[in-house]
Amino acid sequence: MPLGFSMKEMKDNKRILVLPGDGIGPEVCKEATTILELVNEIHSLNLSFSEALVGGSAYEATGEPLPQDTLKAARESDAILLGAVGGPKWDELDYQYRPERALLGLRSELDLFANFRPAILSKYLTSSSSLKANKVENLDLLIIRELTGGIYFGEPRGRTEGKKEAFNTMIYNQDEIERIGRVAFEAAQKRNKNLCSVDKANVLEVSVLWREVITELSKEYPDVRLSHMLVDNAAMQLVREPKQFDVIVTGNLFGDILSDIAAMMTGSIGMLPSASLNSENKGMYEPVHGSAPDIAGKGLANPLATILSAAMMLRYSFGLDKPATQIEMAIDKTLEQGFRTYDLEGSEEQKLGTREIGQKVIDNLQNLK
Ligand code: NAD
């Protein structure tokens, strides 16, 4: 299972597939890849890199947002670093050709069922948070969202013929709940041993099963304190007292919404990394933000979420905790020095572009050696 990592199982050569995608994707991926290359050199990690097309840029070149060649390369890799996909140019395409279809395709083809979304507020960005400083100081919570089931994938879905009526189906089976539950209990064991399972068990039958399975599973993890919370209350509690949470586990739909709420506590969407893992620790790592067409090509994008995603890759897919921590420390140092990108609050003199802030992180990383 993810996190139950054994170094012996890891092959020597670690193949990373970079999928830059659209908009600011290539700009932020470039900075993250440069940093991965640097830690590769410093620590002799034996990382190798290849690149492929995805999203709108893949559609332009091949007529498909997720070409077979890209899928093959993704299957053959040990981890994927993805920038972002999408943009107004492709908004009118049929659903099957939309760039976002590539993400769903990669998630389901690689069975990336466990989505990790940490919301960590750097102490140097407390004033950038949308909540008061005393509510978010030292915030460090982890949302684990089930990613390949639930209402986004449930069948049947569609329109009722002749009626202005549409429907989707929310389905979870015991195995799906159990495997995401295990990931969450194991993650909680490695943190503050506090797990909150979020559902809507007062209304939805799916949630009643969810609660039953998670409760049963908790018997195997007696060291973890388990609580249950209804999703509407969880949304409120996240804004009222976010530091009460350590790890949250929830289904696909609720996780999508709750993790965006948590996102705003960390200052900017440009700071949020994510990881989606399968049961062999293979993962796709990507910033939470999209392709930001409004700033694409201007060199203004904040690359820190993508660099933090690369650090998560080293930790979760390769068990390389030390270089991952060093990357995080180099980012923290950069923020401590007062450097900011344009999406973050700070003095105008210390605002930097994508390349420049990437270079500051590199300089700080080299000084850590
Ligand atoms: P977005 O995240 O791209 O942008 C929202 C706002 O945040 C914009 O003002 C943008 O400039 C800013 N922003 C985002 N990332 C930033 C960064 N790294 N640095 C500085 N500012 C940043 O969301 P959107 O505008 O709703 O979507 C744009 C496109 O991205 C759409 O086509 C959407 O479908 C796609 N999208 C893709 C993903 C993904 O690839 N995982 C996720 C969300 C949206």
Side-chain angles (χ1 to χ4, degrees), residues 17-30 33 50-55 57 80-85 291:
L17 176 68
V18 183
L19 301 176
D22 310 317
I24 61 170
E27 299 166 55
V28 293
C29 270
K30 175 94 183 47
T33 312
S50 60
E51 203 176 295
L53 291 169
V54 76
S57 49
I80 299 164
L81 181 72
L82 185 132
V85 296
S291 61

Side-chain angles (χ1 to χ4, degrees), residues 24 84-87 100 103 269-270 286 288-295 301-302 343:
I24 61 170
V85 296
E100 295 78 3
L103 294 182
I269 197 159
E286 51 179 320
V288 166
H289 62 72
S291 61
D294 51 336
I295 55 166
N302 182 351
D343 52 311

Side-chain angles (χ1 to χ4, degrees), residues 151 156-169:
I151 197 163
R157 70 173 79 198
R159 300 274 173 128
T160 312
E161 232 184 316
K163 284 193 195 157
K164 292 211 164 160
E165 190 177 74
F167 54 91
N168 290 85
T169 310

